[in-house]
Amino acid sequence: MPTRPGNAPRPGGAATGRPTGLVLTGGGARAAYQVGALGAVLEILDPRARPGFPNPFPIICGTSAGAVNATALACRAHRPHLALRRIRRLWESLETGMVYRADAPGLIRTGVRWLGLLSLGWMMSGQARRRTQSLLDNAPLADLLTRVLDFPQLQANLSRGSLSALAITASGYTSGEHLTFYQAGRPIEPWHRFLRRAVPADIGIDHLMASSAIPFVFPARAVTVHGQVEWCGDGSMRQLAPISPAIHLGAHRVLVIGTGYRDETHPEDRAAAPPYPSLAQVAGHALSSIFLDSLSGDVERLESTNALLQHTPPDGDGMRPIDVLTLTPSRSLDLMALEHLDAMPAEARTLFRVLGVSSDPGRPGGGALMSYLLFEAAYTRRLIELGYADTMRRIDEVTRFFEEARA
């Protein structure tokens, strides 16, 4: 990546007008990886965990479960170490029932009926009012977020300068646009690109629930956009440029923490005559396409633009080189999820087995789907540990990224 001259005495670069943005991508339960990676970054920057250590990320952007992490960090941006400890404590104590209904009555009302509609919907066309809206009911997540997030403190952090901006993305089912809801400490003109729109807003629970509404899995959420109701789903859909919101909000360098293993879509061990894919395999592949594919393409485009700017004289149009550091898992989270499948409640495990999920060594399957939906501490703790270890192995890169830039 190209570098720029000048000094950056503060970790976030705010003192030189070159703030650092943090981008947390989507991935359901995979987002626990981000907590470990962020913990390592803070430890590298401030090993003593000083209470007055400034927030190194003036601009924070998140999508789907990454939006939850982003908002939790933004709400306590005035004390980033404390924020990470609380976020980590939550992920390490997580249970499936805290995110979606995993008991028998809840699964019957959603998952069982939803599967029934898939197979017998043609016989039930007159019962539209009784149709279930999704495979799972994530109402418990809304209750959890209401308890743990301090939105008044978010506004206080923006007002006092501990944070410059928070952005949360969602996908509008009604308009077909990819929406970026942002809340900033200073007026920022909304931007608009083809099928992409920025919307200033007081970010709240509805925005987070919309951003994390995985299609078909969780129900859409109604959000008000310019005075009109917009039904929204997961922000990873149609997210062609996940780094873009951070740049629009003023970031000059961006740390991206993804949740996709680089070789996840090209496994080396492949059966000579694999069986027909199960519904779980198809669903997992679809989710991976939604959550994982756009980040690498956006980074490649940004690298090409940076290379072009190195050989182009400034023309005053506002384009600038953007330093980017991307942190992603060093091993497959699909396989890790299958290793911890037994931690899931029996009722939910039964539902997913009907879909084709299996941890049988002789015929494993559905790991991709479960890597997004296995909200159990046994799994999320492993992801946190992996995120921390992966980042600490790249301590030199992290240090260079945050240290003073030199000519």
Side-chain angles (χ1 to χ4, degrees):
M1 286 291 174
T3 59
R4 296 176 304 275
N7 295 322
R10 292 184 61 189
T16 60
R18 296 187 290 104
T20 299
L22 173 66
V23 174
L24 302 176
T25 65
R30 289 171 170 246
Y33 177 89
Q34 298 168 347
V35 180
L38 282 171
V41 169
L42 285 183
E43 184 175 322
I44 292 169
L45 296 179
D46 182 37
R48 293 179 295 169
R50 294 167 291 171
F53 181 74
N55 169 34
F57 308 109
I59 297 165
I60 303 178
C61 305
T63 299
S64 193
V68 175
N69 285 338
T71 304
L73 182 59
C75 284
R76 296 189 178 275
H78 59 301
R79 298 189 64 183
H81 286 287
L82 176 62
L84 256 295
R85 284 197 296 270
R86 295 196 174 191
I87 298 170
R88 177 167 183 156
R89 190 180 307 130
L90 175 62
W91 278 99
E92 287 183 333
S93 61
L94 205 59
E95 298 177 359
T96 299
M98 297 166 64
V99 178
Y100 56 86
R101 292 288 303 273
D103 58 315
L107 291 174
I108 290 173
R109 281 197 298 270
T110 56
V112 175
R113 289 183 61 192
W114 189 78
L115 290 174
L117 283 171
L118 284 180
S119 58
L120 301 174
W122 60 276
M123 297 176 59
M124 306 171 68
S125 59
Q127 303 181 32
R129 292 184 180 180
R130 297 179 55 190
R131 291 180 182 176
T132 187
Q133 297 174 333
S134 58
L135 177 66
L136 301 169
D137 175 11
N138 63 345
L141 176 61
D143 295 336
L144 175 64
L145 297 180
T146 300
R147 293 196 306 270
V148 303
L149 296 178
D150 187 351
F151 290 104
Q153 184 61 54
L154 167 62
Q155 181 56 52
N157 287 336
L158 289 167
S159 299
R160 70 174 54 158
S162 300
L163 181 72
S164 296
L166 170 67
I168 302 301
T169 61
S171 184
Y173 287 126
T174 311
S175 66
E177 291 183 313
H178 185 265
L179 303 170
T180 298
F181 300 99
Y182 68 95
Q183 187 172 347
R186 60 179 177 83
I188 296 178
E189 189 70 20
W191 60 93
H192 185 205
R193 300 291 185 270
F194 178 68
L195 290 180
R196 288 188 285 156
R197 182 182 299 276
V199 182
D202 292 329
I203 291 174
I205 297 298
D206 285 339
H207 300 96
L208 296 180
M209 295 300 292
S211 181
S212 57
I214 300 174
F216 300 109
V217 178
F218 296 138
R221 192 79 168 195
V223 180
T224 301
V225 178
H226 300 310
Q228 296 184 324
V229 173
E230 175 87 29
W231 285 98
C232 294
D234 199 290
S236 297
M237 294 186 289
R238 285 194 170 178
Q239 190 175 39
L240 302 178
I243 303 175
S244 175
I247 298 174
H248 279 291
L249 292 171
H252 281 244
R253 47 186 179 172
V254 181
L255 174 66
V256 183
I257 306 181
T259 60
Y261 175 53
R262 61 186 181 277
D263 294 330
E264 207 130 49
T265 57
H266 301 282
E268 295 180 359
D269 298 328
R270 189 176 304 176
Y276 190 84
S278 66
L279 185 57
Q281 287 176 294
V282 174
H285 180 76
L287 292 183
S288 294
S289 298
I290 291 172
F291 284 111
L292 307 181
D293 288 353
S294 61
L295 176 59
S296 58
D298 198 25
V299 171
E300 289 176 0
R301 286 191 296 271
L302 189 56
E303 289 176 341
S304 298
T305 302
N306 282 346
L308 180 63
L309 290 175
Q310 280 187 312
H311 300 90
T312 304
D315 57 6
D317 64 357
M319 292 189 67
R320 60 187 185 272
I322 304 295
D323 297 333
V324 177
L325 176 63
T326 303
L327 304 175
T328 55
S330 61
R331 60 167 298 192
S332 170
L333 305 192
D334 298 2
L335 299 178
M336 291 178 65
L338 290 180
E339 292 171 2
H340 297 89
L341 185 60
D342 289 344
M344 177 170 278
E347 296 88 345
R349 205 161 61 242
T350 299
L351 172 66
F352 288 118
R353 281 176 176 161
V354 171
L355 298 177
V357 174
S358 172
S359 57
D360 184 347
R363 190 178 177 182
L369 178 63
M370 297 317 302
S371 71
Y372 298 102
L373 299 178
L374 185 58
F375 293 94
E376 291 291 335
Y379 173 56
T380 56
R381 286 175 183 168
R382 289 286 306 281
L383 297 187
I384 292 172
E385 293 169 359
L386 180 64
Y388 178 86
D390 284 350
T391 305
M392 293 304 288
R393 278 195 292 268
R394 299 177 62 183
I395 187 170
D396 291 340
E397 292 178 73
V398 174
T399 302
R400 284 196 301 271
F401 181 76
F402 283 97
E403 71 184 0
E404 293 181 352
R406 303 185 185 278

